[in-house]
Amino acid sequence: PTLLLIERLKRRGKSDSSRNYDLSYEKIIQRLLEHEQKTIPVFNKYIKIHGSIKIDGTGTMDTVYNRIAQKMEFSRNNHL
């Protein structure tokens, strides 16, 4: 979903909630590269240590909320 992220951030750059790093494609791409280099390795470590899960964040807020709720329910039912 990298292209979707770029599109969302560029759209946010045109809104009242824009941030400095949303204003150009170059800044957006640099931010995503930094995220990939710094954040993803930390998240992957937590997955191994604590059993964290990934949730697809694409779609509407309701769709993403339902995915989170389903994962939480599944986790709760399988850890009791």
Side-chain angles (χ1 to χ4, degrees):
T2 302
L3 292 177
L4 179 61
L5 289 172
I6 292 170
E7 182 181 304
R8 284 181 179 176
L9 291 171
K10 189 63 178 167
R11 208 172 31 238
R12 185 173 73 181
K14 297 175 184 176
S15 73
D16 292 338
S17 62
S18 72
R19 295 181 173 79
N20 281 341
Y21 46 76
D22 297 336
L23 300 178
S24 72
Y25 285 114
E26 292 81 16
K27 288 182 178 184
I28 291 169
I29 290 169
Q30 182 59 41
R31 179 172 176 241
L32 293 174
L33 287 171
E34 186 173 320
H35 176 268
E36 189 171 316
Q37 294 167 353
K38 294 180 179 179
T39 306
I40 291 176
V42 173
F43 182 75
N44 288 336
K45 184 174 182 175
Y46 273 89
I47 288 173
K48 290 178 184 174
I49 295 171
H50 301 291
S52 299
I53 58 171
K54 291 183 181 181
I55 297 174
D56 180 0
T58 59
T60 66
M61 286 178 51
D62 286 339
T63 299
V64 175
Y65 174 85
N66 288 331
R67 286 184 192 133
I68 294 169
Q70 287 173 350
K71 294 283 187 175
M72 290 176 67
E73 183 66 23
F74 177 82
S75 180
R76 186 179 72 80
N77 288 338
N78 289 305
H79 286 94
L80 294 178

